[in-house]
Amino acid sequence: MRRLLTLFIAVMCLFVASQAMAFSEVRYPDRPLNLRKARSPKASWVGVLQPGQQVRIAWIQDGWAAVFEPWMTDANNVRVAGFANVKYLKKRRGEVEKEPWGEWMRSATTLNVRSGPDRADKKVGQLSPGTVVRADFPEDGWFAVFEARSTIRSKMNAMGWVKADYLEPTSKPAAAAPKPAPKSMPAPKPEAKPESKPAPQKVSEPKKAPVALKREASSGWGKLLVAPMELHLRSERRSGSNYATTVPKGETIKVDFLDKGWYAVFAPSAPVRNESRALGYVLQRLVEPDGVKTKPVISKSESGKKTIVIPRNPSAPVHRSEPKVNRRAHGFQYGIMERAESTLLGTPVEIVKVYVKVDRLPKATVMQDFASTLWKEFRKSGRELHLEIYVPDMDLDDLAFISAKYTYEEEIEFWARKAVLYGTKYLR
């Protein structure tokens, strides 16, 4: 009986272990892969996986799999990051494309975490002062926040939403130090040799939007910078010129030939300093905002009185006259400022800048419906549509209030950047 009992316990342990192992398996997307809120291509978009990104999948049904963080192994303690088409999730890792996302932030005080970007939404947790999180999906002054170890950019993977006013930029937390190995008998000391100091551990700094991270120049010319946002390069040194190409946020670029507040932009590995080989042009203040500040020069006149001479800043924002408003949708009067074609990571993109005439700031949800109407009007098969929506009293050459991205079939992203309205009549 004792042997039978021991055998039974062993079999049950093996069964439980096999069930735990059978909960999930590791997979790798073979392309940028959208995550959905449910098992359907028509379900709401919640995030995206990068090619070669390691994830766990489980509960495959109707060709769709639930996707989890790679470190989640307990079926009783997981959070679904979204649902993805299983045919694009391979067992072997292919080419890896890692695109940075989010910003490293910490809570400045005890901070409530809510189920949505509104004070009326349900409280689902709380951050202690100094808690480091990854923040993304800005919306009307709110951020979705993720655990520091999170790797999947998806709204469903977030802990919840917090007010952006109570978050402050910080550094990426250092990885936990490995546990020391068990001590063994000490090895005989080598003959006197200078003790080598261990190399200091490097901790990567986050990108603090909208400041570009400066790096040392290479090849004896130009500056290497990191794009603090998605940059639409122009074909000439003027805002009305055609778009040449698009540089994704976080991409390293080389800039040179500063003239009239515009930089010529090159690939970081460009060996020859030749402006004709530039990818396009970008405003200096978009990639190097600290580099365009000018201080008043104080001089003395002949009478001995101090006079202040303020140098002209060629890249200072210049507000255009109000664009032509000749259309109407969703109760808004609006006009098309610019339309241009570009490419982003090999994908054809049409960029449409829209000016909406309003007296009061509309809600983001209302603007999302408005943008959706424009998407249905401008969409084209085989290319993405990027809508940039501006309102009165904004700098029309700067970041848009609303940024929306679509494929022909669906919305990819929708951002409401309330921060760009500070200093306007809407937020003073």
Side-chain angles (χ1 to χ4, degrees):
M1 283 294 292
R2 189 174 296 173
R3 288 181 180 177
L4 287 173
L5 182 60
T6 303
L7 181 62
F8 176 75
I9 293 173
V11 170
M12 288 302 295
C13 288
L14 286 172
F15 175 75
V16 171
S18 66
Q19 288 295 102
M21 291 176 65
F23 152 66
S24 66
E25 59 179 304
V26 173
R27 291 288 182 97
Y28 307 92
D30 65 352
R31 65 196 65 197
L33 185 57
N34 288 328
L35 292 172
R36 303 285 176 186
K37 197 170 184 179
R39 291 181 171 89
S40 169
K42 295 182 180 180
S44 300
W45 178 92
V46 293
V48 66
L49 300 177
Q50 296 301 316
Q53 179 178 354
Q54 186 184 66
V55 296
R56 286 191 177 273
I57 66 168
W59 305 325
I60 299 173
Q61 182 180 331
D62 298 330
W64 290 76
V67 178
F68 308 88
E69 289 282 359
W71 41 266
M72 290 183 178
T73 55
D74 182 3
N76 298 316
N77 188 25
V78 294
R79 180 171 61 248
V80 177
F83 296 89
N85 195 318
V86 74
K87 71 180 179 181
Y88 303 119
L89 292 162
K90 308 300 182 182
K91 293 184 178 181
R92 292 186 179 181
R93 174 179 280 174
E95 187 176 347
V96 178
E97 292 181 20
K98 192 174 182 181
E99 186 176 343
W101 61 275
E103 299 176 46
W104 293 107
M105 312 285 276
R106 67 179 177 185
S107 54
T109 182
T110 301
L111 187 54
N112 290 332
V113 180
R114 300 195 177 273
S115 60
D118 194 293
R119 291 188 186 277
D121 287 315
K122 182 182 177 182
K123 178 182 171 183
V124 294
Q126 198 172 63
L127 298 179
S128 302
T131 302
V132 177
V133 294
R134 210 168 192 167
D136 207 333
F137 299 105
E139 185 175 326
D140 279 346
W142 291 74
F143 269 121
V145 291
F146 301 77
E147 296 177 58
R149 59 179 175 171
S150 295
T151 63
I152 299 177
R153 182 177 184 259
S154 167
K155 293 179 182 179
M156 289 178 67
N157 196 36
M159 295 185 287
W161 296 76
V162 301
K163 201 81 173 94
D165 298 341
Y166 304 104
L167 292 175
E168 52 190 28
T170 188
S171 302
K172 179 180 179 180
K179 294 182 180 179
K183 291 185 178 180
S184 56
M185 291 297 291
K189 292 184 179 180
E191 294 184 10
K193 285 186 179 179
E195 213 174 42
S196 60
K197 294 182 180 180
Q201 183 180 1
K202 291 183 179 179
V203 180
S204 60
E205 293 288 333
K207 297 184 292 299
K208 299 179 183 179
V211 180
L213 305 180
K214 298 182 182 179
R215 300 184 180 180
E216 295 180 1
S218 67
S219 303
W221 64 277
K223 293 182 184 179
L224 287 180
L225 304 176
V226 174
M229 65 193 79
E230 186 176 88
L231 301 173
H232 302 303
L233 305 187
R234 301 279 184 172
S235 59
E236 300 176 31
R237 284 186 170 89
R238 58 186 180 86
S239 297
S241 62
N242 294 329
Y243 287 105
T245 188
T246 302
V247 176
K249 179 181 177 182
E251 191 87 1
T252 301
I253 56 175
K254 182 182 284 188
V255 297
D256 206 334
F257 298 100
L258 179 63
D259 184 23
K260 298 178 182 177
W262 291 80
Y263 266 127
V265 180
F266 301 82
S269 57
V272 180
R273 187 175 185 266
N274 186 337
E275 188 174 353
S276 65
R277 300 188 180 186
L279 302 174
Y281 298 90
V282 67
L283 278 167
Q284 181 190 12
R285 61 184 168 79
L286 294 183
V287 294
E288 202 177 38
D290 291 338
V292 298
K293 293 178 181 177
T294 55
K295 295 181 180 179
V297 177
I298 301 177
S299 62
K300 287 188 177 181
S301 64
E302 292 180 2
S303 63
K305 294 182 180 180
K306 289 183 178 180
T307 59
I308 299 177
V309 181
I310 302 178
R312 180 178 178 273
N313 184 352
S315 61
V318 178
H319 290 273
R320 303 186 199 174
S321 57
E322 182 178 292
K324 187 177 181 180
V325 177
N326 55 1
R327 301 187 180 200
R328 193 174 187 87
H330 279 273
F332 292 118
Q333 288 183 297
Y334 71 98
I336 307 301
M337 295 193 298
E338 293 179 21
R339 290 183 67 173
E341 295 182 358
S342 182
T343 57
L344 179 60
L345 298 176
T347 303
V349 176
E350 181 169 11
I351 303 162
V352 181
K353 280 191 170 185
V354 180
Y355 178 81
V356 180
K357 189 173 183 179
V358 292
D359 296 322
R360 302 173 66 181
L361 189 64
K363 291 184 177 180
T365 51
V366 176
M367 295 303 290
Q368 191 167 18
D369 288 340
F370 172 69
S372 180
T373 299
L374 298 186
W375 159 57
K376 292 172 183 175
E377 176 183 351
F378 293 117
R379 66 179 180 175
K380 293 180 182 178
S381 180
R383 68 178 55 193
E384 289 186 4
L385 173 67
H386 292 189
L387 290 176
E388 303 290 332
I389 301 178
Y390 295 79
V391 292
D393 207 33
M394 287 185 66
D395 180 355
L396 303 182
D397 290 322
D398 212 333
L399 290 175
F401 167 47
I402 300 294
S403 181
K405 298 180 181 180
Y406 306 87
T407 64
Y408 182 78
E409 297 84 9
E410 61 190 347
E411 177 185 294
I412 303 174
E413 285 191 4
F414 179 88
W415 282 14
R417 298 189 185 100
K418 202 170 183 178
V420 300
L421 300 178
Y422 282 106
T424 67
K425 65 182 180 181
Y426 310 104
L427 291 172
R428 294 192 182 276

